[in-house]
Amino acid sequence: MPSTPPPAGANAHPDPRVGELRTRLETAYRASAEPPAKARAKLDAQGKLYVRDRIALLFDEGTFVEDGRYANATAEGLPADGVVTGRGEVEGRPAIVVANDPTVKAGSWGARTVEKMIRATEAALREELPLFWFVDSAGARITDQVDLFPGRRGAGRIFHNQVALSGRVPQICCLFGPSAAGGAYIPSFTDLVIMVEGNASMYLGSPRMAEMVVGEKVSLEEMGGARMHCTVSGVGDLLAGDDAEAIDLARHFFSYLPETWHDPVPHYEAEAPAVPLTRDTVPEAESVPFDVHEVIEGLVDADSFFEVKPLFAAELVVGLGRVEGQSVGIVANNSAVKGGVLFTDSADKASRFIWLCDAYGIPLLYLADVPGFMIGSEVERGGIIRHGAKMVSAVSEATVPQLCVVVRKAYGAGLYAMGGPGFGPEATIALPTARIAVMGPEAAVNAVYANKIAEISDPAERAAFVEARRAEYVEDVDLERLAADLVIDAIVEPEDLREEVVRRLRYAARRDRHFSTRHRSIPPV
């Protein structure tokens, strides 16, 4: 007869070593499940979420699978060695997360921390999975520097793998706290950096170090705070009010991107624009500034525009939107800010965004209302030529479908930087308000006839001469003439522009994406 089965949970041949191991594992598991009371109180005081609560907001419920939870479990006070890594799904799409735990030695890196991060990036490379970085770290532990810093499996391998992942899969960073020293490069290698205002910071050297080494007294917020990076340096892309908003923004941004560089871009149900584009949207006088967001909202599906770097170089607006449910990248001059003139920062902003869209197969729509690049000794000393050349290079090399819409003026190299006819767009479309020329009529007349104008002493005669030359110039660059000469492919009214864009993007979907045969370009950075 069969023997009586043992009670549930009991083993017929118990081994005390197994029981003791189970006890230790349970203790280690609990240690990384919740922060100590003191650490929890500090998180609450800072308005921060615990690392596992952050991950729960990122991934669909019940999909997270963790790796290396028992890292450094035999050491005291180092649960998971301060970083949580693993896989989950974001709206049904698989992704990897690397999340610092600031309750473990301020989220600092030890040797096993680094190994877990390397393994996560290797998995992302091997399996081509998007990678979310949840950064909140004081940097490397100096006591572990020999083990984590210089070797082949040292921290440098993380950056190497990030570069290998760039443009291959999306990398999105939520910066909840500090990102110090070498660790500050992790956000900079990602596609989007979201910083929580009041908590997030990035810096290569702390204020204390800056005072010691270079004699500068500066606050953390001034040197590397979230608002500074999102408004001045441009290293940050978006400001968030708290952890939950940052994660929501990360999920939202991801919804516009494919899972990998060779996957199709997600398509959503089409919606009509929130506000239709009309003939009243764009002022006909080119000297009257207006907010280009009004044009964007009239083109994209309702509430679908996701702006990137809105607080940085605001004379140029860049962001992702949906047109009939399809992701589209938008690059638009904003005459309401600095007249829409292109500066070094706006050129950099555009270049990075164009690279992003080109990497992930997202069509580009340029909305040109640009008097050109800024001139003067200050911008020349700041390298406006090489920054402008960088933007022109990005436009030239982009192989996704591109449409140039001349909203109003497109003067000088501004036309080139905004994907003009010479750069092979699918089409150059003009509104009736458009003007294309080397420069505006007033500047042109002054450049050509300055001496003649100076010779005319009578004010009325001088004004008549200037007006006559101006009329000649305007006639020379008349929009109908440009269309007749095939500079412009179509002239459409504002109310018809969205449908024109929709059709042309649909027909351009099979565009050949080869540009040039070579090892790589040498961009003028």
Side-chain angles (χ1 to χ4, degrees):
M1 296 181 61
S3 60
T4 304
N11 190 289
H13 305 285
D15 184 334
R17 291 173 301 178
V18 175
E20 189 267 340
L21 173 63
R22 284 183 170 135
T23 300
R24 285 189 282 116
L25 289 176
E26 184 180 351
T27 300
Y29 187 93
R30 285 201 308 268
S32 65
E34 290 286 343
K38 184 177 179 180
R40 170 68 77 180
K42 183 177 180 180
L43 289 177
D44 292 343
Q46 294 174 318
K48 289 183 175 183
L49 297 174
Y50 183 50
V51 61
R52 297 188 181 278
D53 296 328
R54 292 169 177 170
I55 292 172
L57 289 178
L58 172 66
F59 289 132
D60 303 344
E61 187 176 356
T63 64
F64 180 56
V65 177
E66 186 171 350
D67 296 319
R69 180 159 186 161
Y70 296 101
N72 237 352
T74 57
E76 183 69 26
L78 291 172
D81 210 35
V83 66
V84 179
T85 62
R87 296 164 178 77
E89 293 181 2
V90 180
E91 294 186 348
R93 299 198 291 168
I96 290 176
V97 71
V98 175
N100 300 125
D101 182 352
T103 69
V104 179
K105 291 191 179 296
S108 60
W109 298 2
R112 292 174 182 83
T113 319
V114 168
E115 179 63 23
K116 287 175 69 172
M117 294 165 77
I118 291 173
R119 291 187 185 189
T121 57
E122 288 174 340
L125 282 166
R126 183 174 60 249
E127 301 168 34
E128 289 199 318
L129 289 177
L131 187 54
F132 287 83
W133 295 91
F134 282 7
V135 178
D136 194 344
S137 170
R141 299 173 201 152
I142 300 301
T143 53
D144 290 9
Q145 64 173 313
V146 174
D147 293 327
L148 70 84
F149 174 67
R152 289 178 178 270
R153 301 293 289 183
R157 196 68 191 176
I158 301 169
F159 308 141
H160 176 278
N161 290 349
Q162 278 193 278
V163 174
L165 287 164
S166 180
R168 188 172 172 184
V169 298
Q171 295 184 80
I172 300 171
C173 175
C174 290
L175 191 48
F176 300 112
S179 184
Y185 286 108
I186 280 183
S188 67
F189 288 125
T190 64
D191 301 327
L192 189 80
V193 180
I194 304 163
M195 303 184 72
V196 177
E197 187 162 21
N199 282 335
S201 61
M202 276 187 281
Y203 50 87
L204 298 183
S206 67
R208 183 172 57 184
M209 185 178 294
E211 182 175 2
M212 183 190 315
V213 176
V214 299
E216 180 186 17
K217 291 187 176 182
V218 63
S219 70
L220 176 59
E221 184 60 34
E222 290 172 328
M223 185 175 71
R227 182 161 289 273
M228 187 285 289
H229 277 306
C230 288
T231 59
V232 179
S233 76
V235 176
D237 293 303
L238 295 171
L239 272 180
D242 56 27
D243 291 8
E245 183 186 0
I247 296 167
D248 185 60
L249 287 169
R251 286 172 58 95
H252 190 188
F253 180 73
F254 183 48
S255 73
Y256 292 88
L257 305 180
E259 291 177 36
T260 75
W261 65 280
H262 52 74
D263 287 329
V265 176
H267 198 280
Y268 291 80
E269 186 175 344
E271 294 185 36
V275 180
L277 197 57
T278 71
R279 300 183 188 190
D280 295 328
T281 305
V282 180
E284 294 183 2
E286 69 174 58
S287 59
V288 177
F290 80 105
D291 190 345
V292 77
H293 289 91
E294 298 174 24
V295 176
I296 295 171
E297 292 300 331
L299 288 175
V300 302
D301 297 4
D303 302 320
S304 72
F305 186 57
F306 187 100
E307 188 169 356
V308 177
K309 294 187 187 297
L311 303 178
F312 177 74
E315 65 274 10
L316 189 80
V317 175
V318 303
L320 297 169
R322 294 191 177 99
V323 178
E324 290 289 301
Q326 176 185 351
S327 291
V328 174
I330 295 172
V331 180
N333 309 114
N334 192 7
S335 63
V337 180
K338 300 179 182 178
V341 177
L342 291 168
F343 288 79
T344 54
D345 283 345
S346 39
D348 284 354
K349 176 178 175 177
S351 300
R352 186 105 198 297
F353 181 73
I354 292 166
W355 291 332
L356 173 97
C357 291
D358 196 43
Y360 298 122
I362 299 172
L364 282 158
L365 176 62
Y366 301 90
L367 301 177
D369 183 12
V370 59
F373 283 89
M374 189 59 184
I375 61 173
S377 61
E378 182 177 352
V379 292
E380 294 293 358
R381 290 167 66 89
I384 187 73
I385 294 172
R386 62 183 171 85
H387 288 274
K390 183 196 307 183
M391 182 175 176
V392 172
S393 295
V395 173
S396 301
E397 291 184 329
T399 58
V400 291
Q402 300 183 82
L403 288 176
C404 173
V405 176
V406 183
V407 177
R408 291 198 303 187
K409 56 193 173 296
Y411 293 154
L415 173 65
Y416 297 164
M418 295 300 291
F423 294 80
E426 305 308 314
T428 301
I429 305 165
L431 299 184
T433 47
R435 283 185 178 174
I436 296 175
V438 172
M439 61 184 71
E442 287 75 17
V445 170
N446 186 67
V448 176
Y449 298 104
N451 292 336
K452 177 65 176 176
I453 293 171
E455 292 172 0
I456 303 174
S457 57
D458 180 73
E461 182 182 350
R462 186 188 311 122
F465 176 83
V466 169
E467 182 55 35
R469 303 293 81 74
R470 185 185 185 281
E472 291 173 357
Y473 185 83
V474 169
E475 183 178 355
D476 191 47
V477 294
D478 177 71
L479 190 60
E480 185 180 14
R481 175 185 173 180
L482 293 177
D485 289 343
L486 300 182
V487 174
I488 298 295
D489 295 297
I491 302 173
V492 302
E493 292 291 350
E495 60 267 27
D496 300 321
L497 181 58
R498 175 179 159 96
E499 184 56 35
E500 184 84 10
V501 169
V502 168
R503 285 198 301 266
R504 290 187 180 275
L505 288 179
R506 185 185 305 133
Y507 297 142
R510 298 177 65 179
R511 175 187 174 113
D512 175 26
R513 296 206 58 187
H514 177 265
F515 174 66
S516 178
T517 301
R518 57 192 173 180
H519 287 303
R520 60 159 300 132
S521 66
I522 306 171
V525 298

